[in-house]
Amino acid sequence: MNLVPFTTRLHISLQRLFRWEFWPWRIVYVPVAVYWFFLAIKARGWVFFSAANPCMRFGGLVAYSKTDVTKLVPESYLPKTVFVEEIDSFPEVISQVKENDMTFPLIIKPDMGERGKGVKILRAEKDLQTALDSVHERMLLQVYEDLPLELGILYSRHPDEQMGKITSVVIKEFPTVTGDGSSSLLQLILANLRTRLSYKVHVKRFADRLNEVIPKGEKVRIVNIGNHMLGTTFRDGNHLISMELVEVFDKLAKQINGFYIGRFDIRTESVEALLKDDFKVIEVNGVNSEPCHIFEPNRSIFLAWRDLFKHWKRIADISIANHKRGVPYASYLEIQREIRRHHSTVA
């Protein structure tokens, strides 16, 4: 039985049709793919981007180990972390959690995942045991840093440059709904301009609470993961780019050997704290990164394409420079084979 009336579902589908940020990425990237073709000719390599970040498999496009990358980040920047191998049992993992003085809630991430797939917040030991029993693969287990400000910082440094650049800052706003004392949680989700557009995900996540009437004034946070497809609002934070901010991330990035371009997803108390080097890195992405400020609601897709073209030009320039320094390009057949395998695994 579908809990959402047909007319409501139809209206939401039409809303999504006119909001390109919710379109399938394969459609959004059609013009970028054409531009990529010309960049590949210039680079003399179909998968030129594989040389962008020598520390990441395929430059960090797909099927690279988040565990291996996270281990390259200086410990002072990371939340308390346990690296879980597929053979590790619950008693072994919970023992490591206690040894590292990690307290719930924790967040668990698959070693190879994308766009928030498989990422879960664990509130208690029983949630951890359920996660380990249901998924047998390498994972990262971290303290959930519930700091008020989450940002995505797109950083890059050409091998010939002494200092890098920040080309995109996105501010992530997590949607909440506020009870009125008469509406159910489902009704509140459908009434919210952001969460209604991704209601299918929330109906599954809150299946046992959908009919619950939320008391007046009580807030329920619907999304805890910074993914715009789930309803998180991405705000253009490029006004925060400054020399001071560049220096902060230049210091961090240069400590990660073989990293030249990608996005740092971070949480911090405030912009002031960030500029004082006080933040936690919750994820490092490679050439699969996007300049996420483009997903600002109502931003023109033409402006988004412009910024994506600039981003891929930067990837190509860095990749070509690294290739001239001896970093090989991966083979086209190898990456195609790995993409098919990876997508069949994470689907």
Side-chain angles (χ1 to χ4, degrees), residues 46-94:
W46 292 117
V47 287
F48 58 89
F49 50 80
S50 60
N53 294 311
C55 67
M56 296 181 177
R57 191 181 186 198
F58 303 130
L61 178 76
V62 70
Y64 64 95
S65 169
K66 293 184 185 295
T67 295
D68 293 345
V69 175
T70 301
K71 287 180 178 179
L72 296 175
V73 178
E75 190 174 334
S76 60
Y77 289 101
L78 293 174
K80 290 182 179 179
T81 303
V82 165
F83 300 103
V84 181
E85 299 295 333
E86 57 184 327
I87 61 172
D88 289 347
S89 64
F90 172 72
E92 291 172 324
V93 175
I94 198 64

Side-chain angles (χ1 to χ4, degrees), residues 145-248:
E145 296 283 353
D146 195 16
L147 296 167
L149 187 59
E150 180 168 332
L151 303 172
I153 311 289
L154 187 60
Y155 168 92
S156 62
R157 182 173 65 85
H158 192 282
D160 292 336
E161 296 172 346
Q162 290 300 312
M163 179 171 283
K165 298 178 181 178
I166 292 175
T167 53
S168 173
V169 175
V170 63
I171 303 170
K172 301 180 182 182
E173 295 179 358
F174 298 93
T176 62
V177 296
T178 304
D180 57 13
S182 60
S183 300
S184 69
L185 181 57
L186 176 59
Q187 290 172 324
L188 293 173
I189 289 172
L190 293 176
N192 184 282
L193 292 177
R194 291 297 296 180
T195 56
R196 70 183 274 111
L197 295 172
S198 48
Y199 76 92
K200 292 181 181 179
V201 177
H202 310 314
V203 164
K204 292 179 181 178
R205 290 184 57 244
F206 291 96
D208 57 343
R209 297 187 60 189
L210 292 177
N211 294 320
E212 178 184 336
V213 175
I214 306 302
K216 188 174 182 178
E218 181 177 318
K219 294 183 181 296
V220 178
R221 187 165 170 174
I222 303 300
V223 179
N224 291 293
I225 298 170
N227 186 308
H228 71 96
M229 296 294 284
L230 299 181
T232 299
T233 303
F234 282 11
R235 297 294 183 191
D236 185 341
N238 285 350
H239 61 278
L240 297 176
I241 298 175
S242 65
M243 183 57 66
E244 291 81 6
L245 190 64
V246 172
E247 289 173 352
V248 167

